[in-house]
Amino acid sequence: MSNKTTTASHQIVDSLLASCFAQNSHSMLTNELLVTMGLIKSEKKDFKPESDVENMLRLMAHAVGQEYFPSSSAKIISAFVKKDKDVLSNKISDCTDLFRSFQI
């Protein structure tokens, strides 16, 4: 992504997630994020996780470091990313900086 696209994407994610965390249960939202990223299975049988894991994880790596993002949620998401690090490494081109963002 270009710097302009990255900045715009971060602004959109920040706006959406800040609003979602302010209005919803942190644990429920954390669970939904994990399901959407394909890090845990959905209870819905017909649900298919997002296929673009790389960009989703890059945006999440940005979000977990933001002030609006609850530290408990950041720790949980980071733990699941760490657990699946080997599998994710095969799907992501340059994952060193990405995993560093999750403190792995």
Side-chain angles (χ1 to χ4, degrees):
M1 278 194 273
S2 71
N3 285 342
K4 198 173 187 181
T5 303
T6 299
T7 300
S9 298
H10 287 174
Q11 290 172 342
I12 292 167
V13 165
D14 290 341
S15 178
L16 288 170
L17 288 178
S19 177
C20 287
F21 276 116
Q23 298 175 28
N24 295 288
S25 157
H26 294 176
S27 61
M28 181 196 73
L29 186 55
T30 302
N31 188 66
E32 288 300 318
L33 290 169
L34 290 169
V35 168
T36 301
M37 291 186 293
L39 296 173
I40 62 173
K41 290 186 180 180
S42 174
E43 293 179 12
K44 300 172 188 166
K45 300 288 183 204
D46 59 341
F47 178 81
K48 299 267 192 239
E50 189 62 42
S51 60
D52 185 5
V53 176
E54 181 172 357
N55 285 326
M56 194 178 311
L57 283 173
R58 291 192 186 284
L59 290 170
M60 193 56 53
H62 161 78
V64 297
Q66 301 305 304
E67 199 171 292
Y68 65 81
F69 209 97
S71 62
S72 59
S73 296
K75 288 176 185 174
I76 292 167
I77 289 173
S78 294
F80 276 91
V81 170
K82 182 178 183 177
K83 180 181 80 65
D84 290 341
K85 182 178 177 182
D86 293 337
V87 172
L88 294 171
S89 294
N90 294 329
K91 297 180 180 182
I92 300 171
S93 55
D94 179 21
C95 56
T96 305
D97 288 337
L98 174 64
F99 289 137
R100 193 173 305 129
S101 298
F102 286 104
Q103 299 176 345
I104 298 173

XYZ file of all heavy atoms in Angstrom:
808
model
N 0.834 -1.181 0.000
C 0.000 0.000 0.000
C 0.881 1.248 0.000
O 1.910 1.270 0.654
C -0.878 0.035 1.256
C -2.130 -0.786 1.173
S -3.326 -0.412 2.465
C -2.763 -1.480 3.772
N 0.432 2.278 -0.680
C 1.155 3.542 -0.666
C 0.943 4.228 0.685
O 0.025 3.883 1.438
C 0.649 4.445 -1.790
O -0.655 4.915 -1.481
N 1.787 5.190 1.003
C 1.653 5.916 2.271
C 0.298 6.596 2.388
O -0.294 6.628 3.457
C 2.772 6.946 2.421
C 4.085 6.291 2.779
O 4.115 5.148 3.236
N 5.172 6.994 2.549
N -0.185 7.156 1.275
C -1.482 7.835 1.270
C -2.608 6.843 1.558
O -3.508 7.118 2.348
C -1.681 8.509 -0.089
C -2.716 9.575 -0.116
C -2.684 10.268 -1.485
C -3.589 11.455 -1.499
N -3.610 12.127 -2.802
N -2.535 5.680 0.926
C -3.539 4.639 1.137
C -3.459 4.097 2.564
O -4.489 3.887 3.210
C -3.342 3.486 0.135
O -3.401 4.012 -1.180
C -4.391 2.412 0.309
N -2.243 3.892 3.061
C -2.055 3.388 4.424
C -2.626 4.369 5.438
O -3.349 3.973 6.360
C -0.562 3.143 4.709
O -0.088 2.161 3.784
C -0.327 2.653 6.121
N -2.337 5.647 5.266
C -2.845 6.664 6.185
C -4.370 6.699 6.167
O -5.006 6.731 7.222
C -2.274 8.058 5.819
O -0.848 7.997 5.908
C -2.794 9.128 6.748
N -4.950 6.674 4.980
C -6.414 6.686 4.866
C -7.022 5.432 5.499
O -8.026 5.512 6.210
C -6.828 6.796 3.402
N -6.387 4.290 5.268
C -6.880 3.034 5.853
C -6.816 3.081 7.371
O -7.749 2.654 8.054
C -6.055 1.848 5.348
O -6.174 1.719 3.966
N -5.730 3.601 7.917
C -5.591 3.713 9.373
C -6.652 4.639 9.954
O -7.232 4.329 11.009
C -4.197 4.228 9.738
C -3.132 3.209 9.549
N -1.803 3.508 9.696
C -3.171 1.899 9.210
C -1.077 2.430 9.473
N -1.898 1.439 9.161
N -6.938 5.739 9.273
C -7.957 6.667 9.760
C -9.339 6.015 9.784
O -10.100 6.187 10.736
C -7.978 7.933 8.903
C -6.756 8.801 9.097
C -6.692 9.953 8.112
O -7.359 9.949 7.064
N -5.871 10.948 8.424
N -9.645 5.258 8.755
C -10.943 4.575 8.684
C -11.054 3.524 9.792
O -12.051 3.465 10.507
C -11.158 3.943 7.295
C -11.319 5.042 6.241
C -12.358 2.997 7.294
C -11.218 4.556 4.807
N -10.014 2.698 9.932
C -10.012 1.656 10.962
C -10.102 2.284 12.348
O -10.862 1.811 13.203
C -8.759 0.758 10.830
C -8.539 -0.086 12.064
C -8.897 -0.130 9.613
N -9.340 3.349 12.582
C -9.378 4.020 13.884
C -10.767 4.540 14.201
O -11.276 4.367 15.309
C -8.368 5.170 13.935
C -6.922 4.694 13.964
O -6.685 3.515 14.304
O -6.037 5.513 13.650
N -11.395 5.162 13.229
C -12.740 5.707 13.431
C -13.750 4.601 13.728
O -14.538 4.696 14.679
C -13.161 6.492 12.187
O -14.462 6.984 12.334
N -13.709 3.545 12.925
C -14.661 2.433 13.112
C -14.445 1.701 14.437
O -15.395 1.482 15.198
C -14.548 1.437 11.959
C -15.093 1.888 10.618
C -14.701 0.904 9.528
C -16.601 2.041 10.681
N -13.207 1.327 14.718
C -12.953 0.547 15.928
C -13.126 1.374 17.200
O -13.620 0.862 18.206
C -11.567 -0.092 15.880
C -11.416 -1.247 14.892
C -9.985 -1.772 14.899
C -12.389 -2.376 15.216
N -12.751 2.654 17.165
C -12.955 3.509 18.344
C -14.440 3.577 18.674
O -14.837 3.445 19.838
C -12.383 4.902 18.106
N -15.256 3.738 17.653
C -16.700 3.790 17.851
C -17.243 2.444 18.332
O -18.053 2.382 19.260
C -17.380 4.187 16.539
O -18.774 4.181 16.683
N -16.780 1.370 17.730
C -17.248 0.032 18.117
C -16.869 -0.303 19.555
O -17.694 -0.829 20.309
C -16.684 -1.025 17.167
S -17.438 -1.027 15.544
N -15.634 -0.009 19.950
C -15.221 -0.302 21.329
C -15.965 0.578 22.329
O -16.225 0.163 23.447
C -13.704 -0.160 21.502
C -12.944 -1.388 21.114
C -12.060 -1.379 20.050
C -13.108 -2.582 21.813
C -11.351 -2.514 19.690
C -12.417 -3.729 21.462
C -11.535 -3.693 20.399
N -16.321 1.791 21.929
C -17.050 2.694 22.828
C -18.496 2.233 23.034
O -19.084 2.495 24.084
C -17.026 4.115 22.270
N -19.049 1.521 22.064
C -20.469 1.177 22.104
C -20.775 -0.295 22.368
O -21.941 -0.662 22.514
C -21.119 1.566 20.774
C -21.070 3.040 20.487
C -21.618 3.372 19.125
O -22.461 2.668 18.583
N -21.142 4.463 18.543
N -19.757 -1.153 22.406
C -19.994 -2.586 22.527
C -19.114 -3.216 23.590
O -18.120 -2.640 24.017
C -19.709 -3.280 21.178
C -20.658 -2.852 20.092
O -21.816 -3.227 20.103
N -20.182 -2.029 19.175
N -19.463 -4.411 23.963
C -18.664 -5.195 24.891
C -17.299 -5.457 24.268
O -17.207 -5.914 23.125
C -19.382 -6.520 25.173
O -18.486 -7.498 25.619
N -16.243 -5.178 25.024
C -14.889 -5.391 24.512
C -14.648 -6.860 24.179
O -14.040 -7.176 23.162
C -13.852 -4.909 25.523
C -13.893 -3.435 25.740
N -13.109 -2.806 26.654
C -14.638 -2.452 25.170
C -13.353 -1.512 26.639
N -14.279 -1.280 25.750
N -15.128 -7.758 25.023
C -14.902 -9.188 24.775
C -15.656 -9.664 23.534
O -15.122 -10.439 22.742
C -15.265 -10.023 25.999
O -16.622 -9.857 26.324
N -16.870 -9.175 23.341
C -17.651 -9.563 22.162
C -16.975 -9.062 20.885
O -16.817 -9.798 19.910
C -19.068 -9.008 22.236
C -19.939 -9.407 21.055
S -21.422 -8.413 20.895
C -20.758 -6.876 20.294
N -16.520 -7.811 20.911
C -15.877 -7.245 19.736
C -14.542 -7.932 19.450
O -14.222 -8.221 18.299
C -15.680 -5.735 19.914
C -15.140 -4.985 18.707
C -15.985 -5.215 17.459
C -15.053 -3.496 19.012
N -13.788 -8.226 20.486
C -12.520 -8.938 20.317
C -12.762 -10.296 19.666
O -12.052 -10.695 18.744
C -11.804 -9.110 21.673
O -11.585 -7.817 22.236
C -10.481 -9.844 21.521
N -13.776 -10.994 20.138
C -14.133 -12.292 19.565
C -14.499 -12.152 18.087
O -14.044 -12.950 17.250
C -15.292 -12.905 20.350
C -15.563 -14.329 19.930
O -14.729 -15.196 20.138
N -16.725 -14.555 19.328
N -15.285 -11.153 17.749
C -15.678 -10.937 16.349
C -14.469 -10.632 15.471
O -14.387 -11.100 14.335
C -16.709 -9.807 16.244
C -18.076 -10.178 16.762
C -18.703 -11.357 16.025
O -18.609 -11.416 14.772
O -19.285 -12.224 16.686
N -13.525 -9.852 15.994
C -12.308 -9.560 15.231
C -11.495 -10.826 14.987
O -11.006 -11.056 13.882
C -11.460 -8.513 15.961
C -12.040 -7.098 16.000
C -11.255 -6.223 16.970
C -12.056 -6.482 14.608
N -11.380 -11.667 16.009
C -10.642 -12.930 15.864
C -11.304 -13.846 14.843
O -10.624 -14.478 14.024
C -10.525 -13.638 17.215
C -9.613 -12.975 18.245
C -9.805 -13.621 19.616
C -8.165 -13.035 17.810
N -12.618 -13.915 14.863
C -13.358 -14.746 13.906
C -13.174 -14.204 12.490
O -12.874 -14.959 11.560
C -14.865 -14.799 14.281
C -15.690 -15.396 13.148
C -15.071 -15.594 15.556
N -13.328 -12.895 12.332
C -13.212 -12.292 11.005
C -11.828 -12.488 10.412
O -11.677 -12.699 9.203
C -13.539 -10.779 11.080
O -14.868 -10.643 11.589
C -13.467 -10.129 9.717
N -10.800 -12.457 11.263
C -9.432 -12.665 10.785
C -9.108 -14.138 10.592
O -8.027 -14.496 10.131
C -8.431 -12.047 11.766
C -8.478 -10.538 11.784
S -7.184 -9.791 12.802
C -7.654 -10.307 14.430
N -10.027 -15.025 10.964
C -9.808 -16.451 10.792
C -8.910 -17.063 11.846
O -8.392 -18.166 11.674
N -8.732 -16.369 12.978
C -7.867 -16.880 14.041
C -8.610 -17.819 14.994
O -7.975 -18.597 15.692
C -7.229 -15.719 14.811
C -6.286 -14.842 13.969
C -5.832 -13.630 14.757
C -5.093 -15.650 13.480
N -9.938 -17.715 15.017
C -10.770 -18.695 15.722
C -11.970 -19.004 14.833
O -12.307 -18.223 13.941
C -11.239 -18.215 17.123
C -12.110 -16.966 17.034
C -10.058 -18.001 18.049
C -12.732 -16.546 18.363
N -12.592 -20.139 15.083
C -13.734 -20.555 14.269
C -15.012 -19.869 14.746
O -15.215 -19.646 15.924
C -13.913 -22.067 14.337
C -12.825 -22.804 13.611
C -13.093 -24.272 13.573
C -11.970 -24.964 12.821
N -12.153 -26.382 12.730
N -15.859 -19.593 13.775
C -17.161 -19.012 14.061
C -18.132 -20.107 14.480
O -18.001 -21.256 14.070
C -17.700 -18.321 12.803
O -19.018 -17.873 13.011
N -19.100 -19.746 15.288
C -20.157 -20.697 15.647
C -21.136 -20.874 14.492
O -21.874 -21.845 14.456
C -20.888 -20.214 16.898
C -20.014 -20.240 18.135
C -20.729 -19.742 19.378
O -21.966 -19.592 19.345
O -20.046 -19.501 20.372
N -21.132 -19.935 13.566
C -22.004 -20.007 12.394
C -21.361 -20.917 11.365
O -20.247 -20.672 10.906
C -22.224 -18.616 11.807
C -22.867 -17.650 12.767
C -22.875 -16.255 12.194
C -23.344 -15.275 13.259
N -23.064 -13.893 12.877
N -22.044 -21.969 11.009
C -21.489 -22.991 10.104
C -21.175 -22.445 8.714
O -20.237 -22.889 8.068
C -22.467 -24.172 9.963
C -22.774 -24.853 11.268
C -21.600 -25.644 11.752
C -21.974 -26.379 13.024
N -20.868 -26.702 13.850
N -21.939 -21.466 8.238
C -21.761 -20.970 6.879
C -20.791 -19.783 6.791
O -20.580 -19.235 5.722
C -23.111 -20.581 6.277
C -23.827 -19.510 7.083
O -23.494 -19.308 8.266
O -24.735 -18.868 6.514
N -20.157 -19.405 7.903
C -19.241 -18.267 7.905
C -17.901 -18.636 7.280
O -17.327 -19.671 7.581
C -19.005 -17.750 9.329
C -18.039 -16.600 9.377
C -18.478 -15.323 9.094
C -16.703 -16.801 9.669
C -17.596 -14.247 9.107
C -15.817 -15.737 9.687
C -16.260 -14.465 9.411
N -17.417 -17.774 6.396
C -16.094 -17.942 5.788
C -15.241 -16.750 6.223
O -15.624 -15.601 5.987
C -16.195 -17.947 4.265
C -17.050 -19.069 3.717
C -16.188 -20.254 3.404
C -16.980 -21.247 2.599
N -17.115 -22.514 3.152
N -14.074 -16.996 6.833
C -13.215 -15.876 7.240
C -12.688 -15.113 6.029
O -12.638 -15.652 4.920
C -12.078 -16.531 8.012
C -12.128 -17.962 7.675
C -13.508 -18.277 7.187
N -12.320 -13.894 6.258
C -11.764 -13.036 5.214
C -10.530 -13.695 4.611
O -9.716 -14.273 5.328
C -11.406 -11.675 5.816
C -11.034 -10.634 4.825
C -12.136 -10.292 3.853
O -13.295 -10.180 4.258
O -11.828 -10.152 2.657
N -10.394 -13.625 3.304
C -9.255 -14.276 2.651
C -8.011 -13.382 2.610
O -6.898 -13.875 2.490
C -9.630 -14.713 1.234
O -10.010 -13.586 0.478
N -8.178 -12.060 2.705
C -7.046 -11.139 2.671
C -6.507 -10.934 4.087
O -6.684 -9.900 4.706
C -7.450 -9.800 2.053
C -6.268 -8.861 1.903
O -5.119 -9.275 2.180
O -6.485 -7.710 1.506
N -5.839 -11.946 4.599
C -5.332 -11.932 5.964
C -4.231 -10.892 6.142
O -4.164 -10.215 7.159
C -4.808 -13.337 6.355
C -4.178 -13.332 7.722
C -5.926 -14.353 6.270
N -3.398 -10.737 5.134
C -2.243 -9.840 5.272
C -2.656 -8.405 5.567
O -2.211 -7.805 6.549
C -1.376 -9.879 4.023
C -0.159 -8.984 4.149
C 0.832 -9.136 3.006
O 0.628 -9.975 2.116
O 1.824 -8.402 3.036
N -3.503 -7.820 4.742
C -3.904 -6.431 4.966
C -4.717 -6.271 6.238
O -4.588 -5.273 6.947
C -4.646 -5.874 3.755
C -3.698 -5.556 2.623
O -2.566 -5.145 2.845
N -4.152 -5.747 1.403
N -5.532 -7.252 6.540
C -6.314 -7.198 7.771
C -5.389 -7.194 8.992
O -5.576 -6.416 9.927
C -7.280 -8.383 7.840
C -8.333 -8.198 8.898
S -9.514 -9.545 8.975
C -9.995 -9.762 7.308
N -4.381 -8.054 8.977
C -3.437 -8.099 10.099
C -2.597 -6.827 10.178
O -2.279 -6.359 11.272
C -2.537 -9.320 9.992
C -3.180 -10.633 10.407
C -2.257 -11.801 10.087
C -3.524 -10.631 11.882
N -2.243 -6.263 9.036
C -1.487 -5.007 9.050
C -2.318 -3.876 9.671
O -1.807 -3.076 10.455
C -1.014 -4.636 7.650
C 0.046 -5.589 7.133
C 0.740 -5.100 5.885
N 1.643 -6.121 5.379
C 2.820 -6.421 5.900
N 3.244 -5.775 6.967
N 3.569 -7.370 5.380
N -3.587 -3.821 9.339
C -4.462 -2.811 9.931
C -4.665 -3.076 11.427
O -4.681 -2.159 12.242
C -5.803 -2.766 9.201
C -5.741 -2.190 7.790
C -7.057 -2.398 7.064
C -5.361 -0.715 7.809
N -4.789 -4.347 11.790
C -4.962 -4.688 13.205
C -3.687 -4.391 13.994
O -3.759 -3.946 15.140
C -5.350 -6.167 13.337
C -5.845 -6.551 14.705
S -7.246 -5.572 15.310
C -8.404 -5.726 13.988
N -2.524 -4.607 13.380
C -1.256 -4.292 14.039
C -1.196 -2.807 14.369
O -0.695 -2.413 15.422
C -0.081 -4.693 13.152
N -1.730 -1.980 13.483
C -1.806 -0.545 13.757
C -2.801 -0.281 14.894
O -2.500 0.444 15.840
C -2.246 0.220 12.502
C -2.770 1.576 12.784
N -1.949 2.653 13.054
C -4.042 2.037 12.886
C -2.704 3.714 13.303
N -3.966 3.362 13.197
N -3.967 -0.885 14.798
C -5.056 -0.599 15.746
C -4.713 -0.985 17.183
O -5.040 -0.241 18.110
C -6.332 -1.316 15.295
N -4.051 -2.132 17.381
C -3.789 -2.579 18.759
C -2.882 -1.622 19.519
O -2.873 -1.621 20.748
C -3.215 -4.021 18.833
C -4.215 -5.031 18.294
C -1.874 -4.135 18.138
N -2.157 -0.783 18.815
C -1.286 0.176 19.471
C -1.928 1.531 19.735
O -1.292 2.426 20.283
N -3.187 1.668 19.379
C -3.867 2.949 19.540
C -4.500 3.072 20.927
O -4.843 2.078 21.564
C -4.925 3.131 18.454
C -4.373 3.082 17.040
C -3.258 4.074 16.822
O -3.413 5.263 17.031
N -2.091 3.555 16.417
N -4.670 4.300 21.356
C -5.196 4.588 22.691
C -6.615 4.038 22.900
O -6.958 3.603 23.994
C -5.192 6.100 22.902
C -5.269 6.508 24.345
C -5.044 7.999 24.507
O -3.920 8.460 24.257
O -6.017 8.682 24.868
N -7.447 4.068 21.875
C -8.830 3.604 21.997
C -8.931 2.083 22.155
O -9.950 1.564 22.589
C -9.667 4.039 20.783
C -9.229 3.410 19.478
C -9.613 2.119 19.132
C -8.412 4.107 18.600
C -9.196 1.547 17.953
C -7.999 3.544 17.410
C -8.396 2.265 17.085
O -7.983 1.692 15.913
N -7.879 1.362 21.763
C -7.928 -0.103 21.735
C -7.630 -0.633 23.138
O -6.543 -0.417 23.656
C -6.899 -0.649 20.739
C -7.284 -1.961 20.128
C -7.883 -2.012 18.892
C -7.048 -3.147 20.801
C -8.234 -3.227 18.312
C -7.394 -4.360 20.243
C -7.997 -4.404 18.996
N -8.573 -1.338 23.766
C -8.349 -1.839 25.126
C -7.134 -2.767 25.199
O -6.945 -3.624 24.332
C -9.626 -2.620 25.445
C -10.631 -2.140 24.456
C -9.881 -1.720 23.241
N -6.313 -2.584 26.214
C -5.097 -3.397 26.336
C -5.432 -4.876 26.484
O -4.699 -5.727 25.977
C -4.229 -2.919 27.491
O -4.911 -3.044 28.711
N -6.544 -5.188 27.148
C -6.922 -6.601 27.294
C -7.230 -7.223 25.931
O -6.840 -8.357 25.649
C -8.124 -6.740 28.231
O -9.233 -6.000 27.736
N -7.894 -6.482 25.072
C -8.197 -6.970 23.722
C -6.928 -7.099 22.896
O -6.760 -8.067 22.151
C -9.174 -6.025 23.022
O -10.414 -5.998 23.703
N -6.021 -6.133 23.027
C -4.752 -6.182 22.299
C -3.944 -7.410 22.705
O -3.355 -8.085 21.856
C -3.948 -4.904 22.551
N -3.935 -7.722 24.003
C -3.193 -8.893 24.490
C -3.781 -10.187 23.939
O -3.050 -11.103 23.551
C -3.183 -8.920 26.015
C -2.293 -7.861 26.623
C -2.394 -7.873 28.132
C -1.599 -6.724 28.740
N -1.785 -6.626 30.186
N -5.096 -10.269 23.902
C -5.761 -11.474 23.402
C -5.473 -11.666 21.915
O -5.093 -12.757 21.468
C -7.279 -11.420 23.672
C -7.546 -11.524 25.175
C -8.017 -12.512 22.897
C -8.959 -11.184 25.574
N -5.644 -10.603 21.133
C -5.402 -10.702 19.694
C -3.939 -11.038 19.433
O -3.624 -11.900 18.601
C -5.841 -9.414 18.981
C -7.378 -9.350 19.000
C -5.311 -9.364 17.547
C -7.967 -8.069 18.478
N -3.032 -10.394 20.162
C -1.600 -10.685 19.998
C -1.283 -12.138 20.326
O -0.470 -12.771 19.647
C -0.767 -9.752 20.881
O -0.883 -8.421 20.436
N -1.933 -12.679 21.344
C -1.701 -14.082 21.723
C -2.134 -15.029 20.604
O -1.428 -16.001 20.300
C -2.444 -14.412 23.016
N -3.267 -14.745 19.968
C -3.730 -15.602 18.878
C -2.842 -15.465 17.645
O -2.578 -16.447 16.948
C -5.192 -15.320 18.532
C -6.153 -16.053 19.411
C -6.632 -15.467 20.578
C -6.568 -17.333 19.105
C -7.508 -16.135 21.407
C -7.446 -18.027 19.920
C -7.918 -17.419 21.082
N -2.377 -14.258 17.363
C -1.453 -14.066 16.237
C -0.162 -14.814 16.511
O 0.379 -15.495 15.635
C -1.191 -12.558 15.994
C -0.057 -12.363 14.994
C -2.455 -11.872 15.493
N 0.323 -14.736 17.746
C 1.562 -15.437 18.116
C 1.386 -16.947 17.972
O 2.256 -17.637 17.442
C 1.943 -15.092 19.549
C 3.232 -15.727 20.003
C 3.589 -15.303 21.411
C 4.918 -15.896 21.832
N 5.307 -15.443 23.169
N 0.234 -17.459 18.420
C -0.039 -18.896 18.343
C -0.033 -19.385 16.891
O 0.449 -20.474 16.601
C -1.393 -19.191 18.996
C -1.803 -20.657 18.980
C -3.150 -20.874 19.621
C -4.323 -20.570 18.778
N -4.602 -21.331 17.604
N -0.531 -18.553 15.981
C -0.638 -18.935 14.571
C 0.479 -18.327 13.718
O 0.373 -18.274 12.491
C -1.989 -18.508 14.008
C -3.135 -19.325 14.579
O -2.874 -20.421 15.109
O -4.290 -18.870 14.497
N 1.550 -17.880 14.343
C 2.622 -17.176 13.648
C 3.182 -17.974 12.467
O 3.373 -17.426 11.381
C 3.744 -16.851 14.637
C 4.878 -16.074 14.050
C 5.925 -15.759 15.109
C 7.101 -15.041 14.500
N 8.134 -14.766 15.496
N 3.433 -19.257 12.644
C 4.013 -20.063 11.562
C 3.077 -20.164 10.367
O 3.507 -20.037 9.219
C 4.387 -21.459 12.070
C 5.530 -21.421 13.070
O 6.300 -20.443 13.058
O 5.639 -22.360 13.871
N 1.795 -20.385 10.621
C 0.812 -20.482 9.533
C 0.679 -19.133 8.841
O 0.658 -19.051 7.610
C -0.559 -20.947 10.078
C -1.627 -20.877 9.010
C -0.453 -22.346 10.651
N 0.610 -18.057 9.627
C 0.455 -16.723 9.056
C 1.684 -16.306 8.246
O 1.559 -15.613 7.242
C 0.184 -15.699 10.169
C -1.142 -15.865 10.901
C -1.190 -14.955 12.116
C -2.309 -15.589 9.965
N 2.852 -16.734 8.667
C 4.092 -16.392 7.955
C 4.062 -16.884 6.516
O 4.640 -16.261 5.629
C 5.305 -16.983 8.669
O 5.488 -16.387 9.916
N 3.390 -18.001 6.271
C 3.283 -18.551 4.915
C 2.334 -17.743 4.036
O 2.382 -17.845 2.821
C 2.821 -20.005 4.959
C 3.853 -20.906 5.599
O 5.050 -20.651 5.514
N 3.397 -21.942 6.266
N 1.450 -16.940 4.658
C 0.455 -16.175 3.911
C 0.831 -14.711 3.750
O 0.165 -13.980 3.034
C -0.898 -16.248 4.629
C -1.480 -17.633 4.717
C -2.799 -17.597 5.442
C -3.409 -18.973 5.539
N -4.709 -18.955 6.200
N 1.896 -14.269 4.436
C 2.244 -12.850 4.470
C 3.644 -12.658 3.910
O 4.585 -13.335 4.321
C 2.145 -12.319 5.916
C 0.716 -12.490 6.424
C 2.575 -10.867 5.991
C 0.543 -12.199 7.887
N 3.777 -11.687 3.014
C 5.052 -11.472 2.328
C 6.181 -11.043 3.264
O 7.178 -11.729 3.393
C 4.876 -10.467 1.190
O 4.304 -9.275 1.679
N 6.081 -9.925 3.921
C 7.137 -9.441 4.815
C 6.535 -9.302 6.203
O 5.955 -8.283 6.534
C 7.686 -8.109 4.325
C 8.767 -7.558 5.239
O 9.369 -8.351 5.992
O 9.004 -6.345 5.211
N 6.672 -10.344 7.001
C 5.960 -10.383 8.272
C 6.794 -9.961 9.482
O 6.262 -9.850 10.576
C 5.358 -11.761 8.497
S 6.555 -13.075 8.418
N 8.072 -9.675 9.319
C 8.925 -9.342 10.459
C 8.411 -8.110 11.194
O 8.205 -8.145 12.406
C 10.381 -9.107 9.996
O 10.811 -10.261 9.282
C 11.290 -8.873 11.169
N 8.187 -7.007 10.480
C 7.685 -5.794 11.121
C 6.266 -5.983 11.629
O 5.898 -5.442 12.665
C 7.726 -4.616 10.148
C 9.131 -4.123 9.886
O 10.004 -4.371 10.733
O 9.357 -3.497 8.835
N 5.487 -6.740 10.896
C 4.110 -6.984 11.305
C 4.072 -7.691 12.663
O 3.382 -7.254 13.580
C 3.380 -7.830 10.255
C 1.969 -8.276 10.606
C 1.038 -7.079 10.755
C 1.440 -9.222 9.548
N 4.832 -8.760 12.815
C 4.833 -9.497 14.075
C 5.431 -8.658 15.200
O 5.023 -8.760 16.349
C 5.569 -10.824 13.941
C 4.819 -11.835 13.105
C 5.483 -12.596 12.173
C 3.452 -11.997 13.243
C 4.790 -13.539 11.392
C 2.751 -12.919 12.469
C 3.424 -13.689 11.540
N 6.369 -7.793 14.871
C 6.945 -6.901 15.889
C 5.868 -5.968 16.442
O 5.865 -5.640 17.621
C 8.098 -6.100 15.284
C 8.939 -5.398 16.321
C 10.175 -4.741 15.731
N 10.989 -5.694 14.984
C 11.434 -5.514 13.748
N 11.165 -4.408 13.100
N 12.157 -6.426 13.149
N 4.925 -5.546 15.603
C 3.821 -4.689 16.043
C 2.940 -5.384 17.074
O 2.357 -4.745 17.937
C 2.956 -4.270 14.854
O 3.710 -3.532 13.940
N 2.872 -6.701 16.966
C 2.112 -7.491 17.935
C 2.986 -7.919 19.104
O 2.587 -8.722 19.921
C 1.511 -8.728 17.264
C 0.340 -8.430 16.372
C 0.478 -8.439 14.996
C -0.909 -8.141 16.911
C -0.595 -8.188 14.165
C -1.986 -7.874 16.090
C -1.830 -7.899 14.724
N 4.203 -7.415 19.147
C 5.180 -7.722 20.211
C 5.477 -9.212 20.287
O 5.492 -9.802 21.348
C 4.706 -7.179 21.551
C 4.543 -5.687 21.533
C 3.983 -5.135 22.812
O 3.457 -5.867 23.644
N 4.121 -3.843 22.989
N 5.687 -9.810 19.116
C 6.002 -11.245 19.043
C 7.476 -11.387 18.728
O 7.984 -10.810 17.818
C 5.144 -11.948 17.966
C 3.680 -11.819 18.339
C 5.555 -13.385 17.797
C 2.732 -12.309 17.289
